[in-house]
Amino acid sequence: MRFVLTPGALARTRFVVSPLAELVGALASGVTALEEPRRARPEVSSDPSRTEGLDLVAFHRWRTADALNSAFTDLIAHTKWFPDLVGLAPPATGDVRLVDELAQIAAWNPQAAVSTIEDSINAAWTPQQTAWLAAPDLPGRIAAVLGSAWDQLISADWPRRQRILRREIAFRTALIGTTGWAGAVDGIARDVAWEDPDALLVSRRTDRSLTVSSHLCFVPTTQVRGRWTCDGPVGVALVYGARGSRAAVSPRTGKALGRLLGTGRAAVLLSLDLPATPSQLHAELGYALGTVGGHLSVLEGAGLVHRARTGREVHYRRTELGEKLVGDQG
């Protein structure tokens, strides 16, 4: 499948943050994590570093508190197609607030909501509950489910997650000016590639195309696994996992690496899953800017990182040796 953009849509293409996409991805990842045997025990699953930042004990408590919570999250974790009412493309104006996204969901026509959920159920690879489709005001109830999930599971961690997403967006936006859209979307997700001058390939199926006349949004999330496309209500979007999400959402201790390099330098090296500026590392790690600069200088001298100018900023990234050293931390 490819999105073919009109000149106007191309001009309005951008990277944006969507709280709804972050939330839906986190809920689907939470179900997957609960189903993995080695993560099913509370003493293991309570470690957020194993679930891209989601506390599985709190998630399990929320999920089992209401039948709709369970049924809805089970569906989005086991289907090839998200229901359209939660697969919303952000507006062309850029970032959107969760309250506005939930309002869009609540405003859906109930019959249309049931129809798109039935399509999603038919695309699921596990048997799904259907009794919940008869609930009155289903769109409003789904919006309420998502609102409660945000309040109980994501809200407190949102500032940190948002910093990760801003860092991803800043890096890729800077690449547009130097490498064009092809370089900016390189490595975003498997089978995704920019086809000059005005098309985005989003899957291996090249026999289907969709002409986009409104806008295209690239929406990063902090989820390591999963990507999806959104079509409408206006425009299209590709939701994908930001590079470095696992390290940034739940920073790794890297004890062995800390003993080798020092705790501060190890933290900086581990945080470079995604290239970053010294200012971004300062904000993310809480170290003084001068301290970050000193650590980067030592790491660069050791051949573990190198720097490159992207637009007006200097980004640091790990070298092949740095990647090997971090990979050995497992």
Side-chain angles (χ1 to χ4, degrees), residues 45-115:
S45 63
S46 61
D47 179 2
S49 68
R50 298 180 180 272
T51 57
E52 291 84 68
L54 192 65
D55 182 336
L56 284 188
V57 172
F59 173 64
H60 177 71
R61 186 184 306 117
W62 170 84
R63 188 169 180 247
T64 55
D66 186 282
L68 185 55
N69 296 0
S70 177
F72 178 75
T73 54
D74 187 59
L75 173 61
I76 62 173
H78 298 107
T79 184
K80 297 178 182 178
W81 307 104
F82 281 168
D84 288 345
L85 82 166
V86 296
L88 303 176
T93 51
D95 295 348
V96 64
R97 300 180 305 166
L98 179 68
V99 64
D100 296 324
E101 294 179 305
L102 296 183
Q104 280 187 279
I105 293 172
W108 262 67
N109 175 280
Q111 290 183 330
V114 170
S115 178

Side-chain angles (χ1 to χ4, degrees), residues 7-329:
L10 182 60
R12 289 185 288 270
T13 296
R14 66 195 67 205
F15 289 88
V16 301
V17 172
S18 165
L20 177 63
E22 177 69 18
L23 174 60
V24 170
L27 295 178
S29 293
V31 173
T32 301
L34 284 176
E35 292 175 347
E36 294 179 2
R38 65 193 182 105
R39 294 181 181 171
R41 300 187 306 273
E43 65 270 24
V44 173
S45 63
S46 61
D47 179 2
S49 68
R50 298 180 180 272
T51 57
E52 291 84 68
L54 192 65
D55 182 336
L56 284 188
V57 172
F59 173 64
H60 177 71
R61 186 184 306 117
W62 170 84
R63 188 169 180 247
T64 55
D66 186 282
L68 185 55
N69 296 0
S70 177
F72 178 75
T73 54
D74 187 59
L75 173 61
I76 62 173
H78 298 107
T79 184
K80 297 178 182 178
W81 307 104
F82 281 168
D84 288 345
L85 82 166
V86 296
L88 303 176
T93 51
D95 295 348
V96 64
R97 300 180 305 166
L98 179 68
V99 64
D100 296 324
E101 294 179 305
L102 296 183
Q104 280 187 279
I105 293 172
W108 262 67
N109 175 280
Q111 290 183 330
V114 170
S115 178
T116 186
I117 293 170
E118 287 177 337
D119 289 341
S120 187
I121 288 174
N122 290 334
W125 56 83
T126 60
Q128 295 293 308
Q129 304 174 52
T130 58
W132 59 286
L133 298 182
D137 187 24
L138 188 58
R141 290 198 60 189
I142 290 175
V145 163
L146 292 169
S148 69
W150 178 271
D151 292 340
Q152 297 180 41
L153 305 172
I154 304 294
S155 179
D157 195 37
W158 179 236
R160 181 167 54 170
R161 291 171 182 261
Q162 196 170 31
R163 284 196 298 271
I164 300 162
L165 304 180
R166 295 293 182 199
R167 174 174 158 187
E168 164 80 8
I169 289 174
F171 173 70
R172 294 200 180 272
T173 300
L175 285 176
I176 298 172
T178 57
T179 64
W181 278 107
V185 305
D186 182 47
I188 273 184
R190 187 178 60 183
D191 301 327
V192 172
W194 190 268
E195 297 182 332
D196 285 332
D198 57 7
L200 178 72
L201 186 68
V202 295
S203 73
R204 295 180 181 178
R205 292 195 58 178
T206 58
D207 59 328
R208 298 178 57 197
S209 64
L210 174 68
T211 299
V212 179
S213 57
S214 176
H215 64 281
L216 165 66
C217 290
F218 293 95
V219 183
T221 75
T222 65
Q223 305 311 304
V224 176
R225 295 168 289 189
R227 65 105 186 268
W228 64 92
T229 57
C230 305
D231 182 5
V234 178
V236 297
L238 173 68
V239 182
Y240 69 96
R243 287 187 59 190
S245 292
R246 186 182 299 277
V249 172
S250 295
R252 293 165 288 181
T253 7
K255 292 181 180 179
L257 198 59
R259 288 193 293 270
L260 179 66
L261 300 175
T263 303
R265 285 188 285 275
V268 169
L269 187 63
L270 288 169
S271 293
L272 288 176
D273 283 359
L274 182 72
T277 66
S279 295
Q280 289 169 335
L281 293 171
H282 155 68
E284 184 176 308
L285 297 173
Y287 297 158
L289 191 56
T291 300
V292 170
H295 289 332
L296 288 169
S297 178
V298 172
L299 294 170
E300 186 177 23
L304 299 177
V305 305
H306 65 85
R307 53 181 166 171
R309 183 168 291 278
T310 307
R312 296 182 178 181
E313 297 183 318
V314 175
H315 284 83
Y316 286 80
R317 68 179 70 206
R318 290 194 294 256
T319 62
E320 184 176 347
L321 177 60
E323 292 287 355
K324 176 68 166 58
L325 192 59
V326 168
D328 287 344
Q329 299 303 299

